[in-house]
Amino acid sequence: MIQLHYHPSNASFTPHVLLREVGASFELILVDRDGGAHKRPEYLKLNPNGKIPVLVADDLVLYETAAIAMHLADMYPAADLAPALQSAERAHYYKWMAWLTNTLQIRLMHYFYPARLADDVDPAPLKRRAEADALALLQQLDDQLAAHSGPWLLGAHYRAVDPFAFMLCRWTRNFSGRKARDFPHIGPWLQRVHQRPAVQAAFEAEEATAPFY
Ligand SMILES: N[C@@H](CCC(=O)N[C@@H](CS)C(=O)NCC(=O)O)C(=O)O
């Protein structure tokens, strides 16, 4: 049995979508973030970082969104969510997974939690800077979508990087100015990802409301 420890609209959204995309049978376990459940010993046994998500599949306990996404893609090859091993597309899939998690996601974390960056410093300029940096990074995503004629991030096929990138773009929906959806190639791609039944079902299960991205 697969269990996904999640919280609505958190990083768990990516594995949540992927579990639906591959047609897995799974149970959603709500982490009481407001009550601090993710910092309690029981949860820290699953993820010592105290972060959401965690995927539990029998004896496997896995944290880190990118790792969970790649593992699900590998476990359900029929869903074709990862390019063929040793292909150039596979190499770029690894690159985008790494970039999404260690470059774009990090700046978005700085945007959401600027006060964690430094004590006794006004977080407002740190937040503004993180927002500007994230927007500059989004240009790379827009350029990637413009670089080929396919509908998805890597080209012709929807891959596990698509819902991951979608989730991070969604997190810009309350930016003070330009948002991911305002980029000329990201906007239509977000619309396409949003229309996928797995994404719709995950939003419904998480009781998300508009704007979705
Ligand atoms: N690198 C981790 C980051 C996960 C993460 O930061 N999750 C957030 C929710 S989106 C969280 O659990 N925050 C709680 C906290 O930082 O205390 C991943 O991608 O799984």
Side-chain angles (χ1 to χ4, degrees):
M1 180 55 171
I2 298 177
Q3 294 176 322
L4 178 67
H5 294 257
Y6 88 109
H7 190 85
S9 295
N10 279 203
S12 43
F13 186 72
T14 297
H16 184 182
V17 167
L18 288 169
L19 283 163
R20 291 180 184 277
E21 192 75 48
V22 301
S25 147
F26 66 98
E27 183 188 359
L28 284 173
I29 300 188
L30 180 65
V31 180
D32 177 15
R33 239 192 107 156
D34 298 337
H38 55 311
K39 304 297 178 192
R40 291 210 197 98
E42 314 88 78
Y43 191 85
L44 294 174
K45 271 189 219 153
L46 301 176
N47 183 350
N49 302 294
K51 304 277 184 194
I52 301 159
V54 172
L55 182 94
V56 180
D58 300 320
D59 291 342
L60 176 72
V61 178
L62 194 63
Y63 52 87
E64 287 302 328
T65 304
I68 298 170
M70 288 191 281
H71 176 67
L72 289 175
D74 290 348
M75 291 302 285
Y76 296 88
D80 200 24
L81 289 164
L85 277 172
Q86 301 179 355
S87 65
E89 196 196 340
R90 181 75 171 214
H92 286 295
Y93 163 84
Y94 291 139
K95 176 194 75 183
W96 283 109
M97 275 291 180
W99 182 87
L100 288 167
T101 194
N102 73 18
T103 304
L104 182 56
Q105 189 175 357
I106 291 298
R107 287 314 270 149
L108 289 169
M109 287 299 155
H110 296 162
Y111 164 79
F112 285 112
Y113 309 109
R116 291 183 183 174
L117 283 170
D119 293 326
D120 305 322
V121 172
D122 178 8
L126 297 175
K127 190 176 180 77
R128 278 199 299 276
R129 177 63 193 268
E131 182 175 330
D133 286 353
L135 281 170
L137 291 169
L138 284 171
Q139 185 59 53
Q140 288 185 44
L141 215 53
D142 202 69
D143 292 344
Q144 163 65 13
L145 286 160
H148 58 73
S149 55
W152 309 114
L153 192 56
L154 298 183
H157 300 280
Y158 184 78
R159 304 298 195 192
V161 285
D162 285 287
F164 194 178
F166 175 90
M167 178 185 78
L168 300 182
C169 289
R170 164 172 159 75
W171 290 353
T172 73
R173 68 194 184 282
N174 293 319
F175 271 14
S176 58
R178 199 178 191 204
K179 300 142 190 23
R181 64 174 184 252
D182 299 321
F183 284 75
H185 301 91
I186 294 177
W189 162 81
L190 285 170
Q191 217 172 355
R192 288 192 289 275
V193 178
H194 184 218
Q195 280 163 3
R196 292 188 73 93
V199 173
Q200 299 275 327
F203 273 141
E204 199 181 318
E206 297 195 7
E207 297 180 3
T209 52
F212 294 101
Y213 55 83

